[in-house]
Amino acid sequence: MTVTTRGKIKSTQYKSHRQAVTENVIRTFFRYLLLLVIGVIMLLPFIMAFLGTVKTDQEIMAYPPKFLPEIWHWENWARVWNTDLGAGGTFPRWLFNTAFLSVVVAVSQAAFGSMAAYAFSRLKFAGRDIVFNFMLATMMIPGAVTLIPAYVLMTKLQLINTFWSLILPGLVSAGSIFTLTSFFRSIPADLEEAAFIDGATHMQIFRTVILPLARPAILTVLILQFQSMWNSFLQPLLYLNSPDKYVLNVALSIFQQQYKSQWNLTLVGAMFNAIPILILFFIFSRYYIEGVTYAGIKG
Amino acid sequence: MKNKLTNSNQQGTVPAIIAFVGVVLVIFIIALMNAPTMGGARVMSSAQTYFSEVRATAVPFMIFAVLAAMIAGFFIAREVKKVWPNVRRRKEFLTGYAFLAPYLIVTLTFTVGVILFALYISFTNYDIFTRPEWIGLANYKEAFAGFTDATKRDFLQALYNVLWYAAIVVPVQTILALRMAMLLNTPVKFKQFFRTIFYAPSVTSSVVITLIFMWLYMKNGYLNFFLQTVLGWIGINFEPVAWLADPRGLIQLIVEAFGGTIPSTQWYFRGPSIAWMAIMFQNIFTTVPTFMIMYLAALQDINPALYEAASIEGANKRQVFTQITRPLLRPITMMIVVLGTIGTLQVFDQVYLATSGGPLKTTLTPVFLIFTEALGVTGPITMGFASALAFILAVIIFALTFVQRRILTQGTEMY
């Protein structure tokens, strides 16, 4: 670049700079607008459904539909809470069933999963890599294949319509082990080597060194497994067939068929299902997102 | 405790034998549970009646299982003998398998065992209550009987439906997820807040989302109202559509717009129905956020120095995207496409709740068909046939994901 043309270049640079500033402002504006629009789209179905729960039977079927109800009929919530489908089928019961199963499965996944992950990441033994690769291979198997034979197995073991039919296959899964293994591998080995020299056993190292360090990963597995049990539908639908054993998802599908046109009531039921898991998510969103990330990136 | 034997060769023999017997016993019990016999309360009432059933129908299965168990047992016993003299290696070996035991037992019972069982009964006409009877490939032939007999086209139509489903949902959700992740990856305030909001639909159960959308999709629901209002502003008169009950196909609609018709005998030219596309939309709504989070994490892993270098070189935004972002995201894109394909080909919840496969079977899916066949919802219980369908579906999923991997990993060697 020669000296003579410098002035010219400066002026065009200046101009483009000013243009760039306005362009930037517009771009930022549209960026936030887009974020807001997407946010509204993502939440709108929930907001609509929530407002639907406090409408009357007439309001909910009226056309054109109104956004807000005339009067907020909170008694709908009490009505659904107290609905009895017979044979012990009530919402408090279903809520308890779902929460119980989700907690049991989540805890056992975290416990057995971290044990297996310790073996995969910290121990050296013949066959370890074969078992690990075998585990990765089983993760590729589509769930549709095991659906029927697992059902037959449950009928043979006479576990149909018991919670065992959902707990036993869910005791531990390849997904949790995989997430935990990749986390354990990222923990430096120095700490436990010191413990090992002091004569600690593997069980002691596992409990006192690895588990406290792996708390975020374990929390992640707990939450993701809780959520996946809470949201599961096909297996409970197959295995549980008496109203006092239903989980919320199965109960909701039955409830909707019984109260076909009373969408306000069905939506209340849907809220009973959605609200606990959404609260859990808003509290632990960091761990949720980490869990999804781990499952994704490292897979 | 330390009974030191003089001969180190002998030292591991007893534990090795114990390990061998243990492995064979465990696998034998698992195989016994999964033996292809009839079930039912009468058979299961005592061990005796069950054993006599196993003897009647499952001897080859058990022989196979025991042979496999003996091979596995042999290798494990050999390892036990090898590691026994060395205290440290012995400890690691025993601790390792003790820690893996819960996983191994669960997966051998509920994955390997049941799959072998399903493979066996897919060659039989099995319905739980009678002895499985070997009928060879008849179930697999029956699945594709629709090619010649139009009344048996359920499975073919289900496959046709899910292939459309995957072909539309997977690209759309992948692109949307990437776009949303890129939007969130720009320097904006309240990033955490927006990320949390965006992710909310992925947290809730598909049953809840499906119920909400069934309500929004009603003929006198919000979607029709919204479209009527918005299109009314620009002077278009919109007739409310029963979204989940409309069997008209996409291609059919296009052809009819030009005055043509597609007869119902040529259903395979009609394309995805309106009901099916409504379910697709809802599915995209729930899966995009999950994949967005994966993309976002991958985007944040990209070394910022690469972008700096690009801007010094004077690359424009498009070039930055095609030359840096896209190639570096390729592994995660592959992951998302493969996961999306596996998920979409097995769609069930939405269909079960919203349409039960209707209207005119345009939302029938293989997993829904497997479910109804196995439970005998529409006819006799046909577990053997349902298992055959499941294996065909699995083969299709494997084949598709294999091809996707091949295509998407091409050209990644340089990165």
Side-chain angles (χ1 to χ4, degrees):
Chain A
M1 220 166 286
T2 54
V3 182
T4 45
T5 54
R6 192 182 263 168
K8 205 179 172 186
I9 283 169
K10 243 187 185 170
S11 75
T12 53
Q13 266 180 342
Y14 175 69
K15 220 176 171 182
S16 69
H17 176 69
R18 232 175 67 182
Q19 260 179 351
V21 168
T22 41
E23 218 172 82
N24 225 2
V25 169
I26 293 169
R27 192 173 295 148
T28 314
F29 173 75
F30 275 107
R31 195 174 283 159
Y32 279 101
L33 191 71
L34 201 59
L35 281 170
L36 271 178
V37 169
I38 296 175
V40 168
I41 291 173
M42 288 311 193
L43 285 186
L44 204 59
F46 296 105
I47 296 168
M48 305 287 249
F50 182 77
L51 291 172
T53 63
V54 289
K55 289 177 178 170
T56 63
D57 296 0
Q58 284 80 35
E59 269 180 311
I60 197 111
M61 297 302 281
Y63 195 84
K66 286 214 177 71
F67 187 64
L68 288 171
E70 294 266 320
I71 307 162
W72 292 53
H73 293 277
W74 289 109
E75 69 268 18
N76 284 348
W77 287 62
R79 242 166 103 194
V80 175
W81 186 256
N82 295 322
T83 304
D84 193 342
L85 284 192
T90 60
F91 267 94
R93 173 88 210 183
W94 297 326
L95 206 57
F96 171 79
N97 289 351
T98 317
F100 171 76
L101 276 173
S102 307
V103 168
V104 169
V105 167
V107 169
S108 112
Q109 289 266 354
F112 291 135
S114 52
M115 275 166 61
Y118 182 80
F120 282 136
S121 63
R122 283 298 190 269
L123 300 173
K124 267 200 194 114
F125 52 92
R128 182 190 69 178
D129 296 336
I130 297 171
V131 178
F132 191 73
N133 288 330
F134 160 78
M135 186 185 83
L136 292 186
T138 63
M139 287 171 81
M140 292 299 295
I141 296 171
V145 177
T146 57
L147 193 66
I148 300 154
Y151 175 74
V152 175
L153 178 60
M154 290 303 168
T155 52
K156 278 201 215 157
L157 298 174
Q158 289 175 313
L159 295 177
I160 291 292
N161 207 23
T162 67
F163 290 154
W164 289 111
S165 58
L166 294 165
I167 293 172
L168 289 179
L171 280 177
V172 58
S173 70
S176 317
I177 298 175
F178 186 69
T179 307
L180 288 163
T181 306
S182 32
F183 189 88
F184 284 10
R185 279 184 181 152
S186 69
I187 300 174
D190 316 351
L191 279 166
E192 64 208 68
E193 260 156 32
F196 212 81
I197 290 161
D198 289 345
T201 63
H202 283 295
M203 199 61 202
Q204 284 167 334
I205 292 170
F206 173 62
R207 276 176 41 208
T208 56
V209 181
I210 297 286
L211 281 192
L213 286 173
R215 199 173 289 155
I218 289 168
L219 207 55
T220 301
V221 166
L222 274 176
I223 289 163
L224 283 183
Q225 290 300 330
F226 181 92
Q227 183 213 13
S228 90
M229 188 67 220
W230 185 281
N231 289 345
S232 69
F233 178 60
L234 185 46
Q235 268 77 13
L237 183 71
L238 260 179
Y239 297 148
L240 307 175
N241 47 36
S242 77
D244 62 323
K245 293 279 167 43
Y246 287 160
V247 293
L248 273 172
N249 275 336
V250 177
L252 267 175
S253 72
I254 309 275
F255 191 84
Q256 192 266 329
Q257 279 155 18
Q258 287 213 355
Y259 296 83
K260 266 209 158 72
S261 61
Q262 284 165 293
W263 274 104
N264 45 354
L265 302 185
T266 302
L267 290 174
V268 176
M271 288 295 130
F272 286 148
N273 188 340
I275 287 171
I277 202 81
L278 281 174
I279 290 174
L280 196 77
F281 165 64
F282 285 121
I283 298 172
F284 293 107
S285 70
R286 211 190 94 209
Y287 295 102
Y288 257 102
I289 283 161
E290 242 162 49
V292 175
T293 312
Y294 247 100
I297 300 282
K298 275 73 191 177
Chain B
M1 265 306 281
K2 288 190 178 173
N3 290 334
K4 283 216 167 172
L5 290 173
T6 41
N7 190 345
S8 75
N9 256 346
Q10 262 180 338
Q11 217 177 0
T13 313
V14 176
I17 291 168
I18 294 171
F20 179 79
V21 173
V23 168
V24 172
L25 208 63
V26 167
I27 295 181
F28 182 76
I29 291 169
I30 289 172
L32 204 57
M33 285 195 287
N34 282 300
T37 66
M38 62 170 155
R42 199 177 49 78
V43 175
M44 300 309 300
S45 59
S46 73
Q48 239 95 51
T49 51
Y50 185 65
F51 283 143
S52 70
E53 264 317 304
V54 172
R55 227 172 294 138
T57 59
V59 172
F61 184 87
M62 292 308 291
I63 289 173
F64 171 75
V66 168
L67 278 179
M70 283 165 82
I71 293 167
F74 169 74
F75 281 109
I76 288 170
R78 204 179 61 174
E79 279 308 319
V80 168
K81 192 166 158 51
K82 214 192 280 175
V83 300
W84 205 259
N86 182 326
V87 179
R88 183 169 174 153
R89 282 178 70 199
R90 183 206 308 174
K91 260 190 193 162
E92 292 216 2
F93 186 86
L94 292 181
T95 324
Y97 280 101
F99 277 19
L100 285 181
Y103 167 71
L104 285 174
I105 288 172
V106 167
T107 197
L108 284 177
T109 314
F110 295 103
T111 307
V112 180
V114 298
I115 286 176
L116 290 178
F117 170 84
L119 192 64
Y120 180 85
I121 62 164
S122 73
F123 297 105
T124 67
N125 59 348
Y126 182 65
D127 66 354
I128 292 196
F129 303 110
T130 56
R131 285 179 181 168
E133 200 184 314
W134 189 270
I135 52 169
L137 286 170
N139 283 329
Y140 290 88
K141 280 182 193 149
E142 176 82 5
F144 294 108
F147 280 123
T148 49
D149 183 353
T151 56
K152 290 178 176 172
R153 60 165 210 221
D154 280 15
F155 184 62
L156 288 184
Q157 175 139 25
L159 279 182
Y160 174 81
N161 290 339
V162 285
L163 288 176
W164 267 111
Y165 197 81
I168 294 176
V169 171
V170 172
V172 171
Q173 76 187 7
T174 309
I175 291 165
L176 280 180
L178 177 60
R179 286 286 144 192
M180 275 163 70
M182 286 172 71
L183 183 67
L184 275 183
N185 199 39
T186 53
V188 287
K189 279 175 189 155
F190 316 114
K191 192 183 279 186
Q192 298 264 340
F193 170 78
F194 282 117
R195 191 177 64 175
T196 309
I197 297 290
F198 287 9
Y199 193 55
S202 279
V203 183
T204 359
S205 97
S206 57
V207 173
V208 169
I209 304 270
T210 306
L211 288 176
I212 293 176
F213 271 85
M214 280 167 75
W215 172 63
L216 295 174
Y217 281 149
M218 281 194 312
K219 196 155 189 184
N220 52 352
Y222 279 101
L223 183 64
N224 278 323
F225 174 67
F226 174 78
L227 289 173
Q228 211 165 32
T229 316
V230 171
L231 292 175
W233 288 340
I234 52 170
I236 297 172
N237 189 19
F238 178 78
E239 274 298 309
V241 176
W243 293 100
L244 291 172
D246 200 324
R248 285 177 295 165
L250 181 65
I251 299 172
Q252 186 189 5
L253 284 172
I254 295 169
V255 169
E256 278 174 8
F258 290 100
T261 50
I262 300 177
S264 63
T265 49
Q266 286 174 322
W267 53 272
Y268 37 86
F269 285 132
R270 286 186 162 179
S273 69
I274 289 180
W276 200 215
M277 289 189 286
I279 292 179
M280 285 180 197
F281 177 80
Q282 174 212 325
N283 193 24
I284 291 168
F285 176 80
T286 49
T287 46
V288 160
T290 310
F291 296 137
M292 174 198 78
I293 297 289
M294 289 186 187
Y295 263 135
L296 189 59
L299 281 172
Q300 282 162 353
D301 273 358
I302 294 178
N303 188 351
L306 287 171
Y307 289 122
E308 274 165 38
S311 80
I312 289 167
E313 301 273 327
N316 63 27
K317 280 186 106 175
R318 218 191 130 79
Q319 287 168 322
V320 169
F321 178 72
T322 55
Q323 305 292 322
I324 299 177
T325 314
R326 205 166 58 187
L328 284 175
L329 287 180
R330 205 171 256 164
I332 196 77
T333 303
M334 184 179 85
M335 172 91 193
I336 286 170
V337 167
V338 167
L339 280 180
T341 310
I342 294 174
T344 49
L345 291 179
Q346 297 188 79
V347 55
F348 171 83
D349 301 5
Q350 292 85 340
V351 175
Y352 177 85
L353 288 163
T355 59
S356 305
L360 294 181
K361 296 183 177 168
T362 54
T363 65
L364 199 62
T365 71
V367 176
F368 185 76
L369 202 60
I370 290 165
F371 178 85
T372 51
E373 288 289 341
L375 292 191
V377 176
T378 52
I381 295 175
T382 49
M383 297 243 171
F385 180 56
S387 297
L389 298 187
F391 278 106
I392 296 169
L393 179 67
V395 167
I396 291 171
I397 290 175
F398 277 131
L400 270 181
T401 51
F402 180 75
V403 170
Q404 285 168 342
R405 274 169 200 275
R406 283 296 291 274
I407 292 170
L408 284 164
T409 46
Q410 261 169 20
T412 47
E413 298 84 18
M414 53 190 284
Y415 298 105

